[in-house]
Amino acid sequence: MRIIAITNQKGGCGKTTTSVNLAASLAANGRKVLLVDIDPQAHATLGLNIKSYFSIYNVLSKITHQKAKLEDIIQNVSPDFDIAPSSIILSTLEQELAGEIGRESRLWDTLNNFKVNYDYILIDCPPNLGILTINAIRAADEVIIPVEASRFSLEGMDQLLSIVNLVRDRLNHIVDTKILVTNFDSRLAHSFKMLEKIKSDFRDRLLSNIIHVNVKLKEAQNQGTHIFNFDKYSRGAKDYYSLSREIITQETSPENTGKTESAPFRKTEPKPIAVLERKMNEILKKELPKLTEVIFSVFAPDAKDVYIAGEFNNWKLEDSNRMLSNNGTWSKKLNLTSGKYRYRFVIDGKWIEDTSNPLREINPYGSVDSLIEIDINK
Ligand SMILES: Nc1ncnc2c1ncn2[C@@H]1O[C@H](COP(=O)(O)OP(=O)(O)OP(=O)(O)O)[C@@H](O)[C@H]1O
Ligand SMILES: [Mg+2]
């Protein structure tokens, strides 16, 4: 089994597009593939039209009351292609793991105890270098870093590679790192210049196949499917199919067992554990999602029991989500990170929307959820 994390802290460079379509093309080659979505934005999950109240959060969290096993949350996408879905509540895991020993190995532990046999496990990472990304790198044998040819810069690459080195030095876990050029526009001279620069900077780390700009890839995502279900004759399908062939030809190479070390990007001296621990703490401190206090309230003078339930608390009706009454106005303070959340009030067992909030959306079950959007930078 090969475990490949698709990661780059830069947003929008093609991580999810690559995870989804590489998974689909490996499956089209007869390989059994599981895509694990560990991005709280859940773009892979949503982009494949997967709906589930259980997610990888229920597998990785130790404090959730709705604990699940990885095999319990897996859903089938298409033949030989399964997904372990994500959800916005996964963002709270960063906080939960902040002070825990072994926090970087939670996903690795899960995959080690996982009994279902897949040829490939791909991991779609969030656009940051927080604990979820570190978990992915720690769990993976290989890392693919998508780099956009259109706006390539080395900014941030050092930080990402220092995490790979950190995992190597601290956990003695060797990860083979490859660069994938994405969004290549052959109409622009600029793209070719960038490709040359990437080649000279990364040489043998560069995957030979590149992914061209192809609007069909975006359209497939918007239609809730992968490119082979949407337009298998498109340039995007061809590119990802060729990439999957390149990955498959490396199957017998000892390099991909993750047990032998290929030349690192930068030779670093092994560092004492304390130094590495401090560095990991520094990175985590910077990357931990910032929270903001939000007060929810609803006027229900005759109610006896009121809860706030939403994507931020996994829709759980438990004591921590109970609202308090003051002269008939029930309220509850929650600390939330940036994101868009659906929620409802549950008044004496009845699920109702927040009538004081004009933002709302029909949910997959046909009823209405209220919506709140938090941007901690505002
Ligand atoms: N080769 C491509 N051609 C055209 N559009 C693309 C291509 N690759 C990705 N896109 C589009 O660019 C946007 C960003 O891509 P994607 O979601 O894969 O990036 P990401 O790195 O996963 O983003 P995030 O960092 O937010 O997770 C999406 O709308 C996607 O459909
Ligand atoms: Mg993504």
Side-chain angles (χ1 to χ4, degrees):
M1 182 164 72
R2 285 168 72 182
I3 305 179
I4 307 177
I6 292 97
T7 187
N8 186 340
Q9 71 271 37
K10 234 179 211 165
C13 60
K15 293 180 287 297
T16 301
T17 307
T18 298
S19 303
V20 165
N21 295 303
L22 178 58
S25 41
L26 287 167
N29 277 283
R31 303 303 190 274
K32 198 161 184 271
V33 187
L34 173 66
L35 171 58
V36 180
D37 186 358
I38 60 153
D39 182 359
Q41 300 179 103
H43 286 164
T45 305
L46 299 170
L48 288 167
N49 213 10
I50 299 292
K51 296 184 176 73
S52 165
Y53 276 155
F54 283 94
S55 71
I56 192 75
Y57 170 78
N58 303 89
V59 178
L60 298 178
S61 167
K62 282 194 175 153
I63 59 169
T64 175
H65 293 271
Q66 293 173 301
K67 189 89 185 121
K69 284 193 172 146
L70 183 55
E71 34 277 63
D72 298 336
I73 65 156
I74 289 174
Q75 298 205 30
N76 181 251
V77 176
S78 51
D80 287 328
F81 177 9
D82 291 346
I83 186 168
S86 178
S87 75
I88 183 97
I89 193 181
L90 189 61
S91 58
T92 64
L93 196 74
E94 300 258 354
Q95 296 287 336
E96 179 187 327
L97 294 182
E100 273 195 35
I101 294 169
R103 60 195 166 190
E104 64 281 348
S105 298
R106 194 63 70 81
L107 182 61
W108 187 77
D109 291 342
T110 301
L111 295 182
N112 255 350
N113 292 322
F114 184 48
K115 298 285 175 262
V116 186
N117 212 10
Y118 285 93
D119 297 310
Y120 286 85
I121 295 183
L122 304 188
I123 309 169
D124 184 21
C125 293
N128 62 51
L129 291 177
I131 195 67
L132 290 166
T133 297
I134 294 176
N135 263 267
I137 294 172
R138 200 283 176 259
D141 311 310
E142 299 161 62
V143 165
I144 293 179
I145 306 175
V147 172
E148 274 188 288
S150 49
R151 53 178 182 125
F152 173 71
S153 84
L154 273 178
E155 193 198 319
M157 196 61 100
D158 265 4
Q159 186 83 334
L160 174 55
L161 297 177
S162 81
I163 299 270
V164 173
N165 288 338
L166 196 66
V167 169
R168 182 194 64 203
D169 295 346
R170 184 174 181 271
L171 303 167
N172 203 17
H173 178 73
I174 295 155
V175 187
D176 185 44
T177 312
K178 290 275 184 343
I179 308 285
L180 172 68
V181 174
T182 58
N183 264 308
F184 185 83
D185 190 340
S186 47
R187 294 164 304 182
L188 306 176
H190 169 80
S191 293
F192 288 93
K193 262 196 212 147
M194 283 304 165
L195 185 59
E196 283 315 307
K197 175 151 175 52
I198 298 170
K199 271 187 187 158
S200 80
D201 282 353
F202 296 109
R203 287 180 300 268
D204 54 326
R205 297 286 171 175
L206 196 61
L207 285 156
S208 333
N209 283 281
I210 61 176
I211 308 298
H212 296 80
V213 171
N214 181 223
V215 71
K216 299 280 180 190
L217 289 166
K218 200 185 267 287
E219 287 170 9
Q221 196 177 23
N222 292 341
Q223 292 291 315
T225 189
H226 56 72
I227 193 69
F228 299 93
N229 269 350
F230 183 72
D231 185 349
K232 62 180 174 183
Y233 300 110
S234 63
R235 180 87 200 235
K238 188 183 152 294
D239 283 350
Y240 277 108
Y241 193 82
S242 305
L243 175 66
S244 73
R245 295 302 311 166
E246 183 177 355
I247 305 273
I248 284 170
T249 54
Q250 298 162 352
E251 273 177 8
T252 50
S253 153
E255 203 186 12
N256 297 304
T257 61
K259 302 292 181 286
T260 51
E261 182 168 15
S262 43
F265 278 100
R266 266 180 192 72
K267 262 274 179 249
T268 50
E269 290 301 313
K271 297 190 182 81
I273 290 289
V275 175
L276 292 162
E277 189 62 36
R278 191 166 358 106
K279 180 139 201 247
M280 193 176 281
N281 277 335
E282 267 168 33
I283 293 167
L284 292 181
K285 213 162 147 196
K286 222 166 61 203
E287 297 289 342
L288 269 180
K290 314 222 169 6
L291 299 175
T292 189
E293 195 176 85
V294 182
I295 301 175
F296 292 88
S297 64
V298 57
F299 185 61
D302 301 326
K304 294 192 172 46
D305 207 19
V306 182
Y307 292 87
I308 171 84
E311 286 171 311
F312 37 70
N313 60 16
N314 224 8
W315 304 93
K316 283 182 294 198
L317 301 189
E318 57 189 31
D319 279 348
S320 56
N321 302 324
R322 208 181 268 274
M323 303 179 82
L324 290 178
S325 170
N326 185 359
N327 292 328
T329 298
W330 298 75
S331 62
K332 174 82 192 161
K333 263 188 222 160
L334 292 177
N335 289 316
L336 301 180
T337 182
S338 288
K340 200 168 163 191
Y341 305 91
R342 296 159 174 268
Y343 69 97
R344 287 210 262 172
F345 297 120
V346 186
I347 302 180
D348 293 335
K350 236 172 118 186
W351 290 71
I352 62 154
E353 63 187 284
D354 183 353
T355 49
S356 67
N357 178 0
L359 293 178
R360 58 190 65 175
E361 212 167 79
I362 306 274
N363 63 30
Y365 305 96
S367 44
V368 176
D369 291 331
S370 295
L371 275 184
I372 181 166
E373 190 156 10
I374 313 277
D375 182 352
I376 52 120
N377 298 314
K378 273 191 186 158

